[in-house]
Amino acid sequence: MIRQLKSALPASDISQDALLTKAVESLLTQVEKGGDEAVHALSVRFDGLDRRSYRLTDAEIKNCVDNLTRQQRADIDFAQDQVRNFAQAQKNALRDIEVETLPGVVLGHKNVPIANVGCYVPGGKYPLLASAHMSVLTAKVAGCERVITCAPPFNGEIAPLIVAAQHLAGADEIYCLGGVQAIAAMALGTETIDAVDMLAGPGNAYVAEAKRLLFGRVGIDLFAGPTETLVIADETVDGEICATDLLGQAEHGVNSPAVLITNSEKLARDTLREIDRLLEILPTREIARKAWEDCGEIIVCDTLEEMVEVADRIASEHVQVMTRDPQYFLDRMKNYGALFLGQRTTVAYGDKVIGTNHTLPTKRAARYTGGLWVGKFIKTCTYQKIVTDEASVLIGEYCSRLSIMEGFAGHAEQANIRVRRYGRRNVPYGGAVE
């Protein structure tokens, strides 16, 4: 039996979403019509940053990198090495193919990097330099020719750690721009910023909505919502580690869901007590407490099968598995952004340093997509060629008849003209090959 020891509050109503959409549409229109002038006005209004150009100079970028301490530089280099190594391994798993499916018929596909990519690195609340590794560096490993990146100022100034990470990841252009104006400038272009073909990177609700509205005019990595975490645990762990992992992700924002699924009611109640204790000492407790009160859940199941069933229904962004046999969940779960198997690893490792990408599906999108990876920046494009007259005639005969079945005489003629020329057959115009 599945029972709820703690429930989350109902989600926000649709009217709030409509207001958000309307506000973002207005901002996008301002940038599309006003270009650089609108970007400047919105940056002053929302970020308090007044610059003649929001593209950072080489000297500004160098200053950010040079001001890193030795330890900071080593830590960023280590994290980027891990992300680069895993992205390269993923890229190596992709291969071009060419196969002769019938005598004289050659089909293939090529993996082609997207030419121009814009990466957003959030930084208004926290300077999330890890997002630079995850988007910029992964796009460069994919082979994208031009990768530009935007991050908002932090406390009204250029965020030096983010800029350093962006540069070390390989960004070709770095802008100190945040919010909808940054997304609009990259996607739509301005007098001084060439438009990109794809947007990537997480952000707040306004950034996510801007990406959603621009999808189609440009590509996007995925639709992102508030950070989510799901802990699956049994009696082999204690309440302190479960509470720590839940609150560690709840600090992202007051609307970040944090859920525990367990088959141990004792662990469930111990975790509740530990959450209360940690919320007295956690430096980010104001945010984490609100997130836990509003979005936290504890679900108790009787069996492992029920735990898998509930986890797949939730389809969480992050799933931390701390059970006697984590492999059981890897083998059976279908819906998740990323799995963290065993108590030796944790979601924070994935967020910052271990090498897997931290831009992952939220709001149950894990039912139909995975997260950001090197393949998101690569188009798999097919091609075909026919190298003999006989093969052209064979395919043409079938194509002609199938086209007439659908009422497409023009399509049929594309086949018929080749049957006539390469097969020396008399095919009536607009008819089907017999």
Side-chain angles (χ1 to χ4, degrees):
M1 185 175 70
I2 300 168
R3 52 204 181 277
Q4 201 98 10
L5 197 63
K6 181 189 181 305
S7 300
L9 295 179
S12 61
D13 61 42
I14 294 174
S15 63
Q16 290 299 315
D17 294 339
L19 291 174
L20 174 66
T21 298
K22 185 176 180 180
V24 173
E25 285 176 336
S26 174
L27 295 173
L28 292 175
T29 299
Q30 289 177 53
V31 173
E32 185 169 26
K33 293 182 177 179
D36 286 333
E37 185 177 343
V39 169
H40 176 268
L42 294 173
S43 296
V44 172
R45 174 184 168 191
F46 292 118
D47 292 328
L49 188 64
D50 187 356
R51 287 173 59 104
R52 183 175 169 186
S53 171
Y54 289 90
R55 179 172 178 176
L56 301 191
T57 65
D58 290 343
E60 288 175 312
I61 296 169
K62 183 177 185 299
N63 183 61
C64 292
V65 175
D66 290 347
N67 280 330
L68 292 173
T69 66
R70 182 176 298 180
Q71 188 64 64
Q72 286 173 333
R73 176 62 186 266
D75 290 344
I76 291 173
D77 284 345
F78 179 84
Q80 293 197 347
D81 283 345
Q82 309 322 303
V83 175
R84 183 182 295 106
N85 291 343
F86 189 63
Q88 187 62 58
Q90 289 181 308
K91 185 181 180 183
N92 293 344
L94 299 172
R95 64 187 185 95
D96 297 348
I97 63 169
E98 185 172 283
V99 58
E100 189 171 24
T101 56
L102 291 168
V105 177
V106 178
L107 309 181
H109 78 225
K110 290 189 65 177
N111 293 296
V112 182
I114 295 170
N116 293 285
V117 173
C119 298
Y120 187 78
V121 179
K125 185 187 301 178
Y126 303 110
L128 297 180
L129 59 151
S131 288
H133 322 329
M134 305 298 174
S135 57
V136 177
L137 195 154
T138 305
K140 296 306 284 189
V141 171
C144 301
E145 294 175 12
R146 173 176 172 257
V147 179
I148 74 172
T149 179
C150 289
F154 186 66
N155 293 331
E157 302 289 340
I158 294 169
L161 293 176
I162 289 180
V163 172
Q166 290 168 321
H167 174 73
L168 295 172
D172 298 295
E173 301 166 26
I174 299 176
Y175 296 85
C176 190
L177 281 174
V180 176
Q181 63 269 25
I183 299 298
M186 290 192 289
L188 304 173
T190 70
E191 298 91 328
T192 59
I193 303 174
D194 291 336
V196 300
D197 303 313
M198 175 182 173
L199 294 168
N204 64 18
Y206 287 85
V207 167
E209 181 64 7
K211 288 172 63 180
R212 187 186 73 83
L213 291 171
L214 289 164
F215 179 55
R217 298 181 69 166
V218 293
I220 66 170
D221 49 356
L222 45 77
F223 298 116
T227 292
E228 305 165 351
T229 199
L230 168 63
V231 173
I232 300 175
D234 63 15
E235 74 284 354
T236 60
V237 294
D238 56 63
E240 181 185 27
I241 196 168
C242 292
T244 298
D245 285 341
L246 290 166
L247 295 179
Q249 293 299 303
E251 73 178 0
H252 267 283
V254 296
N255 55 353
S256 291
V259 182
L260 171 65
I261 298 175
T262 181
N263 57 358
S264 166
E265 186 155 340
K266 179 181 182 301
L267 176 63
R269 296 193 181 280
D270 286 348
T271 299
L272 272 174
R273 283 190 291 270
E274 284 296 314
I275 286 174
D276 288 341
R277 181 181 70 83
L278 293 176
L279 283 175
E280 295 301 317
I281 59 176
L282 182 67
T284 53
R285 57 186 174 273
E286 184 178 343
I287 295 172
R289 177 179 283 111
K290 180 66 172 171
W292 177 247
E293 289 174 352
D294 292 356
C295 307
E297 295 184 65
I298 294 183
I299 302 168
V300 181
C301 301
D302 288 334
T303 66
L304 296 179
E305 291 81 3
E306 287 178 346
M307 293 165 77
V308 170
E309 175 191 339
V310 175
D312 272 340
R313 184 175 71 242
I314 293 172
S316 183
E317 177 187 14
H318 307 103
V319 180
Q320 171 87 43
V321 181
M322 297 186 289
T323 61
R324 182 173 283 103
D325 181 17
Q327 186 71 32
Y328 178 91
F329 292 88
L330 177 62
D331 291 343
R332 290 164 176 79
M333 281 189 64
K334 298 180 175 65
N335 302 331
Y336 54 88
L339 282 180
F340 301 81
L341 300 169
Q343 59 184 300
R344 292 184 180 87
T345 190
T346 181
V347 174
Y349 286 4
D351 281 347
K352 309 302 177 189
V353 67
I354 205 167
T356 53
N357 207 290
H358 78 189
T359 304
L360 300 166
T362 61
K363 294 185 174 181
R364 304 188 69 230
R367 293 171 299 137
Y368 57 81
T369 187
L372 183 61
W373 70 296
V374 70
K376 288 275 189 177
F377 296 107
I378 293 173
K379 304 173 292 183
T380 301
C381 304
T382 59
Y383 63 88
Q384 59 171 264
K385 55 185 174 182
I386 294 182
V387 298
T388 66
D389 292 352
E390 294 79 6
S392 183
V393 171
L394 174 65
I395 297 298
E397 290 171 345
Y398 284 98
C399 181
S400 174
R401 293 190 293 267
L402 289 165
S403 296
I404 292 301
M405 286 185 203
E406 296 179 346
F408 280 114
H411 284 64
E413 272 308 302
Q414 290 179 272
N416 293 345
I417 193 172
R418 286 162 175 81
V419 173
R420 295 184 194 109
R421 292 189 178 189
Y422 299 117
R424 298 178 179 83
R425 303 268 294 278
N426 184 18
V427 182
Y429 188 86
V433 175
E434 295 180 358

